[in-house]
Amino acid sequence: MREMARKTARDFAEKRLKPNAAAWDEAEEIPGEFYREAAELGFLGMMVPDEFGGLGLDYASYAGAMEELARGAAAFQVGLTVHNSLVCGAILAAGNGDQKKRCLPKLASGEWIGAYCLSEPGAGTDAGSLKTAAVPAGDSYVLNGTKAWVTNGGFASLFLVFVSTDPARGNKGISCLLVERSIPGIHIGKKEKKLGIRASDTREVRFENCRVPKSALVGEENHGFKVAMQVLDRGRVAIAAQSVGIARAAFDEAVAYAQGREQFGRPIAQFQMIQMKIARMAMEIDAAKLLVDRAAGLLSAGLPCTKEASMAKLFASQTANRAAFDAIQIHGGNGYTREFPVERLYRDARITEIYEGTSEIQHLIIAREVLGSSKKPSSA
Ligand code: CAA
């Protein structure tokens, strides 16, 4: 099953993503037909059980497929990873039976695309300080506030929104709501102009007197922050897989270029300084892949993986950035132009050290897990 998921993703990436990635980057947009094709292949419900219309894959199969898709076009894959690991993942982990029945079949079929709304203009790394308020009013909550950096924001039909239901209690007063796009009071902001993954759809989403039924509450009221953290543990493994995909794409380009490009009368791959870069890239990519496999294996077995997920995310994202940097160096001046894919890969790699928790936060989580803490989280 794992090999089949990886192979299907690799074929789709080779035929449909890689050839279009540069044009999408220029246009800063991905046509909707590609999401529909991905849905037909099951990529929008990868871990959703069969009874809800998904593929019911384990996390390791999912991570392998994510790596391959990112190798083709990270800007496309990031939307799928938010949809699968964060939105479907939260409903699977904490949603009730009715929420699963209502949402999962629509998400798995691609009829709905999901978006994860945690960050705000004033609450990024300090996610627990979010301010979007949900005030009870009869059998509803009334939402007011603004979410930032919402991937898939422009076309999502379902928003997983983290709100403050008890502002005096900080991160212990946060709840998680499933907000359907059809509810009045949702305003979608302009698309962000980004350095990399430019074709992914990143928006601000504003809620203005948006009345959401209480039945949309995921898990218990005021227990939403743990839901956010648990799904991020899982999501970080998919971002680590994305990083490996970007690193591999950069590596492939660098190797092919080094073998074809001649200077001083021979291919530059024959020079030891180039060989050193290629050797380091190969070694680090393998090491990153092993860390991803370990974390994904723990998740597949239903075991906690907070530390292992952060290690995989931290090392793989650094690997992607170093690999893309060296790939440009090997290309010389050519690599600095948009004629060669390494220029885009370099820009795309940059975000992997920022979203789903910065590298600084991954260090902090790893240290906290190693040293032990009164707040030792469990992600089982
Ligand atoms: N699993 C389960 N529970 C967890 C947990 C985990 N991994 N991490 C923390 N918790 C629990 C703690 O046990 C604690 O509960 P108790 O009080 O009952 O013990 C509670 O959550 C609060 O924990 P902290 O006190 O550690 O919380 P904090 O406010 O200090 O924050 C943090 C910790 C690690 C910095 C966290 O805020 C964080 O991860 N920040 C980064 C935010 C982030 O990753 N944003 C990504 C946005 S989504 C995105 O990027 C998607 C995209 O576009 C691609």
Side-chain angles (χ1 to χ4, degrees):
M1 208 55 192
R2 287 184 188 171
E3 256 325 292
M4 192 165 14
R6 186 180 273 279
K7 184 181 178 319
T8 308
R10 186 185 304 137
D11 290 348
F12 180 66
E14 278 296 318
K15 289 192 190 104
R16 303 295 286 147
L17 305 185
K18 198 173 163 194
N20 290 304
W24 295 341
D25 181 67
E26 282 295 327
E28 300 194 28
E29 191 161 13
I30 299 171
E33 69 193 78
F34 290 88
Y35 294 96
R36 288 190 285 278
E37 282 182 40
E40 277 163 28
L41 292 167
F43 292 145
L44 293 182
M46 298 195 76
M47 289 171 294
V48 171
D50 180 54
E51 61 176 304
F52 300 116
L55 295 181
L57 296 175
D58 66 6
Y59 208 94
S61 308
Y62 165 66
M66 285 296 122
E67 178 195 319
E68 295 295 337
L69 295 179
R71 192 169 164 221
F76 180 78
Q77 178 265 353
V78 67
L80 265 55
T81 176
V82 166
H83 173 98
N84 277 286
S85 12
L86 303 187
V87 180
C88 296
I91 298 170
L92 282 167
N96 62 33
D98 286 345
Q99 290 165 343
K100 286 179 186 167
K101 260 186 247 154
R102 172 156 179 77
C103 301
L104 292 176
K106 290 190 170 78
L107 291 165
S109 69
E111 182 186 336
W112 282 0
I113 300 280
Y116 181 87
C117 305
L118 175 66
S119 306
E120 297 182 357
T125 290
D126 184 10
S129 70
L130 63 84
K131 295 279 181 289
T132 295
V135 177
D139 56 3
S140 301
Y141 291 105
V142 177
L143 262 62
N144 278 289
T146 301
K147 292 294 175 179
W149 314 114
V150 179
T151 300
N152 299 335
F155 47 78
S157 299
L158 185 68
F159 299 91
L160 187 85
V161 189
F162 293 90
V163 291
S164 171
T165 33
D166 190 347
R169 296 181 65 205
N171 66 25
K172 289 189 174 42
I174 290 175
S175 302
C176 174
L177 295 175
L178 287 166
V179 181
E180 296 183 23
R181 175 69 165 262
S182 51
I183 297 177
I186 303 177
H187 304 280
I188 309 297
K190 69 168 174 36
K191 201 161 149 181
E192 301 291 351
K193 295 278 216 185
K194 307 190 297 291
L195 171 73
I197 57 161
R198 298 198 319 178
S200 74
D201 193 279
T202 313
R203 309 265 180 166
E204 203 169 77
V205 177
R206 189 164 53 84
F207 300 96
E208 195 182 332
N209 296 323
C210 182
R211 190 171 276 270
V212 179
K214 282 194 172 163
S215 58
L217 181 69
V218 179
E220 285 176 60
E221 195 176 74
N222 297 330
H223 285 73
F225 192 66
K226 284 194 186 180
V227 176
M229 292 297 113
Q230 279 178 1
V231 294
L232 278 173
D233 272 355
R234 301 172 70 85
R236 283 168 186 154
V237 181
I239 297 299
Q242 173 189 63
S243 308
V244 172
I246 296 171
R248 282 179 61 211
F251 176 74
D252 292 347
E253 295 294 336
V255 168
Y257 189 86
Q259 287 172 331
R261 168 81 171 169
E262 291 197 3
Q263 290 292 279
F264 303 102
R266 48 188 162 138
I268 61 170
Q270 290 180 13
F271 294 115
Q272 287 186 342
M273 286 210 203
I274 300 292
Q275 289 174 3
M276 193 193 71
K277 291 189 202 309
I278 287 179
R280 192 180 73 166
M281 286 160 101
M283 174 185 70
E284 290 188 354
I285 290 169
D286 274 9
K289 222 160 156 350
L290 288 167
L291 286 173
V292 173
D293 287 349
R294 179 177 70 165
L298 288 170
L299 285 172
S300 299
L303 294 167
C305 83
T306 300
K307 180 182 73 184
E308 292 80 4
S310 285
M311 284 183 172
K313 158 86 163 66
L314 176 59
F315 187 76
S317 59
Q318 291 176 337
T319 296
N321 278 281
R322 278 195 291 264
F325 182 95
D326 279 347
I328 290 195
Q329 202 65 21
I330 288 170
H331 279 66
N334 283 333
Y336 201 63
T337 72
R338 295 205 180 168
E339 296 298 312
F340 289 81
V342 289
E343 181 268 347
R344 172 174 43 81
L345 294 166
Y346 180 73
R347 289 185 286 105
D348 286 355
R350 192 65 188 85
I351 190 64
T352 63
E353 286 207 54
I354 298 172
Y355 59 20
E356 297 205 15
T358 59
S359 288
E360 288 74 9
I361 285 298
Q362 306 313 323
H363 278 101
L364 185 151
I365 293 171
I366 295 164
R368 192 162 72 175
E369 289 285 309
V370 170
L371 298 170
S373 144
S374 55
K375 288 176 183 162
K376 195 166 172 57
S378 146
S379 61

